[in-house]
Amino acid sequence: MKHFISIDLGGTNVRVAKMDEEGNILAVLKSSSYAKEGREKMISNMKELIQQIPGYEECAGIGIGAPGACDQEKGCLLIDTNVPGLKDYPIVKDFEDTFHMPVRIENDADVAGLGEAIYGIGKEYPSVFYITISTGIGGAFILNKKVVSGRKGFGAEIANLVIDPSREKINYLAKGAVENEASGTAIIRKANQKLNRTVAHAGEVFQLAREGNPIAQEIIDGAIHDIAQMLASISAVIAPHIFILGGGFMKSSDYFMEDLRKYYAELVHEELKDTPIVQASLDEPGLMGAIELVKNL
Amino acid sequence: MKHFISIDLGGTNVRVAKMDEEGNILAVLKSSSYAKEGREKMISNMKELIQQIPGYEECAGIGIGAPGACDQEKGCLLIDTNVPGLKDYPIVKDFEDTFHMPVRIENDADVAGLGEAIYGIGKEYPSVFYITISTGIGGAFILNKKVVSGRKGFGAEIANLVIDPSREKINYLAKGAVENEASGTAIIRKANQKLNRTVAHAGEVFQLAREGNPIAQEIIDGAIHDIAQMLASISAVIAPHIFILGGGFMKSSDYFMEDLRKYYAELVHEELKDTPIVQASLDEPGLMGAIELVKNL
């Protein structure tokens, strides 16, 4: 059985794993991604981690999940907000030159979506829309087990999907962009505006809502409405066969999933009301999905 | 060279054509679609038109573009607002039994989108989002020259895409659904509310706007904003490589295309601002696209 290297590169940490072709993790190493120390350190650290994986030389390819839109043809990141210095850097060519095996890079949400679509709860569905809600909001559209990358790699970069243009302007995103209204960051912002206390995590706002705080409940309910509108808009555009939701936000899924499905059903065609909206099923969708980038080359 | 039968079934008229495999029209017949006289008359009329086509027996298949979402597997329409009685009727099986050749049916916007993606202005692009704006608003997402049909055939049924939830409730669609805000029907509704005259066609409102009527200009400008928001939302979901716009609305494209592109650019990621937004290029995208349903069987 062939083996592969999967890399899950984030703004805080990086993990490098050795995988078999069924998606089993054979070895995994983790370290800081050294994102604040610049490109050279980030790259050399990843290479060192690969070289510490037993038998890395015999692997058949390296798949990288990266925190931002990627250009498949140029083999680089197009956005490097979380890993400054990597934008436009030919990381695929660099790693291919170093390790003499095929290397591919893809957006981390796309890679996690692939993992869920092939190994996880989406595996029976012809199309899967995977959404990760945590600090920000990202997505992946997987059609027939392949990522639909879109123009310049921006397919399913749903952070900028407008759910209500009458909201206030927050940053470079459009007014009412879902990431500014329903991400963890958005919930923290709203809580700090409306609650008489300082909140550091969206989880605290969920906790207050569970305890009966009406302002916290209103903030969460608003965000769930906005997420429902996002799902309804996605359905109006491509009507995926299933929505799979991941990310830190889903730690509180027991609190809101029923409402989310109800609000969604109010916004879509009769025939789409029963679209499955489910929680991500895998512990490691990113590591499992990344091998798909190089498995069939 | 193989020949095919294309059928363009509408709520008012039906056209039946004999096509070659390069998309050339060899013969075409047109009649009322008899939509108000029920299923039996609609079906028998289509069959008679086919039988009047010289050499129809030697054709290699029949492709039908129908006015509503279709179920590919069952070979029927799922919505028959414009052709009452055809919902769930196994039209594909009926025609296959009668004519002894493969028959396929697909939504008319999907078929027109296919035509534009294969023979028209979209032919150089990996993905095409085709939108028709006339009485209503419909769409088609064509990826690698294939229609992405979505769950229950509802892919790209964009009429219900919400561009602003603060608008008034009009009908069964969600509040602020783009079809209720920017279709020909929507423009007529708004004009009849705001102008001191009765308007029968959106074209009249465009004419008043050209003549300097400020209320007509405001109505049109609002609709163009809403269409721009629709395109921006589609880009946030799948980032198509090109938007192709068709339908009666485009008769006035010289009046609004520049504004449309400007408003769109204000709503999307920097890298997507230059997404091509162009007018449909073919006279008969529907007849040309319908043969694609049966060409490669």
Side-chain angles (χ1 to χ4, degrees):
Chain A
M1 189 182 280
K2 279 187 188 175
H3 295 160
F4 303 90
I5 300 289
S6 277
I7 302 181
D8 174 22
L9 175 63
T12 308
N13 293 309
V14 59
R15 290 179 314 142
V16 174
K18 181 176 170 179
M19 316 284 296
D20 70 19
E21 54 193 3
E22 288 170 352
N24 297 305
I25 299 171
L26 306 177
V28 60
L29 298 171
K30 177 177 170 177
S31 80
S32 166
S33 54
Y34 299 104
K36 287 174 185 155
E37 297 185 31
R39 181 173 74 210
E40 220 165 297
K41 176 68 181 168
M42 277 191 281
I43 296 285
S44 66
N45 177 62
M46 277 189 274
K47 288 183 180 174
E48 283 161 24
L49 288 171
I50 293 171
Q51 284 155 351
Q52 288 165 32
I53 294 275
Y56 76 91
E57 307 94 327
E58 281 84 48
C59 285
I62 301 173
I64 308 172
C70 294
D71 186 318
Q72 301 307 304
E73 282 172 37
K74 294 185 189 156
C76 65
L77 275 112
L78 292 166
I79 293 180
D80 65 356
T81 320
N82 298 308
V83 283
L86 286 185
K87 183 176 171 181
D88 296 330
Y89 179 73
I91 184 169
V92 163
K93 181 166 189 316
D94 181 348
F95 277 44
E96 285 186 341
D97 289 348
T98 304
F99 294 106
H100 311 290
M101 58 181 81
V103 180
R104 294 291 183 274
I105 191 166
E106 183 60 279
N107 177 278
D108 51 8
D110 287 342
V111 164
L114 259 185
E116 286 289 347
I118 292 173
Y119 299 106
I121 197 162
K123 67 182 171 187
E124 306 291 342
Y125 296 85
S127 68
V128 166
F129 210 101
Y130 174 82
I131 296 166
T132 173
I133 310 174
S134 53
T135 311
I137 295 183
F141 180 47
I142 316 292
L143 179 67
N144 300 325
K145 314 298 176 202
K146 292 211 162 62
V147 174
V148 179
S149 295
R151 187 166 189 264
K152 301 186 188 176
F154 272 81
E157 288 286 320
I158 50 175
N160 208 11
L161 180 60
V162 172
I163 45 82
D164 181 356
S166 65
R167 307 289 171 89
E168 56 176 322
K169 181 81 177 167
I170 305 289
N171 52 23
Y172 70 99
L173 295 174
K175 281 203 294 179
V178 69
E179 182 166 274
N180 283 338
E181 301 298 330
S183 64
T185 310
I187 286 174
I188 294 167
R189 185 189 78 238
K190 290 179 185 191
N192 285 332
Q193 282 166 355
K194 292 178 184 171
L195 290 164
N196 279 326
R197 55 196 290 172
T198 304
V199 163
H201 296 291
E204 294 174 46
V205 187
F206 274 108
Q207 188 52 37
L208 288 167
R210 284 180 205 271
E211 289 165 7
N213 182 311
I215 298 171
Q217 287 175 344
E218 194 189 309
I219 291 169
I220 298 296
D221 191 57
I224 300 309
H225 255 293
D226 291 342
I227 292 171
Q229 180 59 65
M230 169 181 73
L231 300 183
S233 293
I234 294 168
S235 272
V237 176
I238 38 163
H241 290 76
I242 186 172
F243 286 105
I244 304 177
L245 309 187
F249 206 84
M250 294 307 287
K251 287 179 193 155
S252 305
S253 61
D254 64 304
Y255 182 80
F256 65 78
M257 282 296 268
E258 204 175 317
D259 285 343
L260 178 61
R261 293 189 184 107
K262 189 181 78 182
Y263 298 154
Y264 167 81
E266 290 165 5
L267 291 164
V268 295
H269 281 296
E270 189 63 34
E271 290 85 348
L272 296 181
K273 289 186 191 306
D274 60 351
T275 309
I277 302 173
V278 303
Q279 187 156 3
S281 63
L282 301 175
D283 291 332
E284 295 287 3
L287 292 177
M288 294 169 83
I291 69 168
E292 298 306 314
L293 303 176
V294 287
K295 209 163 94 173
N296 300 311
L297 293 180
Chain B
M1 191 182 279
K2 280 186 188 175
H3 295 159
F4 304 89
I5 300 288
S6 276
I7 302 181
D8 174 22
L9 175 63
T12 308
N13 293 309
V14 59
R15 290 181 312 143
V16 174
K18 180 176 171 180
M19 316 284 296
D20 70 18
E21 53 193 4
E22 289 171 352
N24 298 305
I25 299 171
L26 306 176
V28 61
L29 297 171
K30 176 177 170 177
S31 81
S32 166
S33 54
Y34 299 103
K36 286 173 187 158
E37 297 184 32
R39 180 174 73 210
E40 222 165 294
K41 177 68 181 167
M42 276 190 282
I43 296 285
S44 66
N45 177 62
M46 277 189 276
K47 288 182 180 175
E48 283 161 24
L49 288 172
I50 293 172
Q51 284 155 350
Q52 288 166 32
I53 293 275
Y56 76 91
E57 307 94 326
E58 282 84 48
C59 285
I62 301 172
I64 308 171
C70 294
D71 185 319
Q72 301 307 306
E73 281 172 37
K74 294 184 188 156
C76 65
L77 275 112
L78 291 167
I79 292 180
D80 65 357
T81 320
N82 298 310
V83 283
L86 286 186
K87 183 177 170 179
D88 295 331
Y89 179 74
I91 186 169
V92 163
K93 182 168 187 318
D94 181 347
F95 278 44
E96 286 185 342
D97 288 349
T98 304
F99 294 107
H100 312 290
M101 59 182 79
V103 180
R104 295 291 184 275
I105 191 166
E106 183 60 278
N107 177 278
D108 50 7
D110 286 343
V111 164
L114 258 186
E116 286 289 348
I118 292 172
Y119 299 105
I121 197 162
K123 68 182 172 188
E124 306 292 340
Y125 295 87
S127 70
V128 167
F129 210 99
Y130 173 81
I131 295 166
T132 172
I133 310 174
S134 53
T135 312
I137 295 182
F141 180 47
I142 316 292
L143 179 67
N144 300 325
K145 314 297 176 203
K146 292 211 162 62
V147 173
V148 179
S149 294
R151 189 167 187 263
K152 301 186 188 176
F154 273 81
E157 288 287 317
I158 49 174
N160 209 9
L161 180 60
V162 172
I163 45 83
D164 181 357
S166 66
R167 307 288 170 90
E168 55 175 324
K169 180 81 178 167
I170 305 290
N171 53 21
Y172 69 99
L173 296 175
K175 281 203 294 179
V178 69
E179 182 167 275
N180 284 338
E181 301 298 330
S183 64
T185 310
I187 286 173
I188 293 166
R189 186 189 78 241
K190 291 179 184 190
N192 285 332
Q193 283 167 355
K194 293 179 184 169
L195 291 165
N196 279 327
R197 55 196 291 173
T198 303
V199 163
H201 296 290
E204 294 175 45
V205 187
F206 274 108
Q207 188 52 38
L208 288 168
R210 285 181 204 271
E211 289 164 8
N213 182 311
I215 298 171
Q217 288 176 343
E218 194 189 308
I219 291 169
I220 298 296
D221 191 57
I224 299 310
H225 255 293
D226 292 342
I227 292 171
Q229 180 59 65
M230 170 181 74
L231 299 183
S233 293
I234 294 168
S235 272
V237 176
I238 38 164
H241 290 76
I242 185 171
F243 287 105
I244 303 177
L245 309 187
F249 206 84
M250 294 308 287
K251 286 179 193 154
S252 304
S253 61
D254 64 305
Y255 182 79
F256 65 78
M257 282 296 268
E258 202 175 317
D259 285 343
L260 178 61
R261 294 189 184 108
K262 187 181 79 183
Y263 298 155
Y264 167 82
E266 289 165 6
L267 292 164
V268 295
H269 280 297
E270 189 63 35
E271 290 84 348
L272 295 180
K273 288 185 192 304
D274 60 352
T275 308
I277 301 173
V278 304
Q279 188 155 3
S281 62
L282 300 175
D283 291 331
E284 295 287 3
L287 293 177
M288 294 169 84
I291 69 168
E292 298 306 313
L293 304 176
V294 286
K295 208 162 94 173
N296 301 311
L297 294 179

